[in-house]
Amino acid sequence: MTDAAGEVQRLLRPDLRGRTAYGAPQLDVPVCLNTNENSYPVPDVVVKAILDALEDDIAGLNRYPDREFTRLRSALAAYLEKQAGEVFTPEQIWAGNGSNEVLSHIVQAFGGFGRTALGFTPSYSMHPIICETLGTRWIDGAREQGTFGLAPDSAAQQAATHDPSIVFLSSPNNPTGTALPFDVIGAVLGAAPNAVVVVDEAYAEFARPGTRSALSLVAEHPRLVVTRTMSKAFAFAGGRLGYLVAAPEVVDALRLVRLPYHLSTPTQTIARVALEHADLMLGTVEAIKEQRDRLVRELAELGGTPLESDSNFVLFGGLRDEKATWQALLDDGVLVRDVGIPHHLRVTAGTPEETAAFLRAMAALAPTHLAQPTGDVAS
Ligand code: PMP
C-alpha cells in the first residue's frame, strides 16, 4: 500500500475501510451482455424529438431546473397508467438519477445509523451497498437453497424476527430473474410493522403474462414503495432516470434528503420526451423476451440449469468453474456477469445476433465447462 493509500484508509470513515466499490466491468467487447441494458438504440424519431426539445432548454440553463420536476412527474404518471393500468397523482411519484438514487433517498430518509434494513440474498447488490454506505445495518435474509425462491411464510418470519426499518424485495429479482410470489409483499408488510417495504420493480415490463405489480397495492399500503427505472425495458440507461411510487407523505419525506435541483433540466426534458414516445421506446420488449426464453431453452439443452425469467436476463447454473467460463466467454468477445454465486453466471438477453453469439460460444464450451448435462430448468 502506498503512503497515500494508507493515509486515506486512516482518514476514511471506519466502516468504509477495506470496502470495494460497485464495479461491473465496462469493457469494449463486441457482445456486451453483463449489465441488463436494452441492446437496441433509441429510435431515430425519439432522438429527433429530444434534440428539438433540448434546443429550447439550452438558453435557459442559466436558471436552476424545476426542483419539483412537475412535468416529468405527470409524464411518469401517464406512463404508469398506460403501461400498468394504475392511476397515480404526480404527488405519489418521485424520481432521481437512476433508481439507485431514488433507493438512496429512501435509505437516507428511513434508514440511517442505529437502523437496520433486510433483504433476501441473492438480490440486487446495490441494496446492501446503499444501506451500509449510508450507515444502515444490512441483514442478509435467506432464500430457498437451489431455486432461490422466497415463500411468504419464510419472508414474513424473517421480517418479524429482525423488525427492520426497511425491507427490500425485488420483483422480478436480480440476479435470479424470477418474479416474487405476489403474497410475499402483503406478508412482509404485515410482519414488519415498523418498516418501509420497498419493491424494486426495475424489470417489471419484461415480466411474463399474469405477473402482478406491487403498484396495485400502493393505494392501500402507506408504507409500501415501488421503485422502477427507465434503464431497462425503456432502453434509456444512459439517460439516468429512475422513479418510485408511494403515498404522497412518503414522497414528501424524500424532499428532506435529496440535494436541491438533483434532476438537471436536460435530464428532465429527455426523460419526459422519451416517455411521450413510450410505445416506440418499449417497441423492443417483446423481441427481448423472445431472446430471453430462447436463452432459457437453449441453455437447458446444452446441459446448463437456467432459472425461469421474468426479466431481460437469465441466471444459469451447472458450471464447473464460473470464473473460468466467464473468462473463456470474454476471450470469445462475449461479456456476461459473474454475480458471485458459485457455478452460476448471468447473461442479458440481447439482439438475436448477440444472443446467438453467446449461445454459440457456450455450446463450444459446454463439453468441458458444464458439470453434467441434466437439461433441467429450475423453476
Ligand atoms: N434495481 C435493480 C434490481 C437493478 O438491477 C438495477 C440496475 N442493474 C437498478 C435497480 C438500478 O438501475 P438504475 O439506477 O439504472 O435505474
Side-chain angles (χ1 to χ4, degrees), residues 35 98-100 103 124 127 170 174 200 202-203 229 231-232 240 242:
T35 49
S99 51
N100 281 328
L103 290 165
Y124 181 41
H127 294 160
S170 298
N174 176 13
D200 183 334
Y203 301 94
T229 181
S231 296
K232 308 297 180 181
R240 305 307 297 130

Side-chain angles (χ1 to χ4, degrees), residues 2 8 14 22 29 50 60 67 107 148 160 177 193 203 205 246-247 274 278 281-282 304 309 326 341 349 352 366:
T2 64
V8 169
Y22 174 89
V29 290
I50 287 176
R67 206 172 43 219
V107 175
F148 305 112
Y203 301 94
E205 293 95 337
M281 295 297 289
L282 292 178
S309 175
W326 183 87
I341 304 176

Side-chain angles (χ1 to χ4, degrees), residues 19 59 147 150 172 198 217 243:
R19 290 184 71 106
T147 65
L150 184 61
V198 179
L217 298 175
Y243 53 102

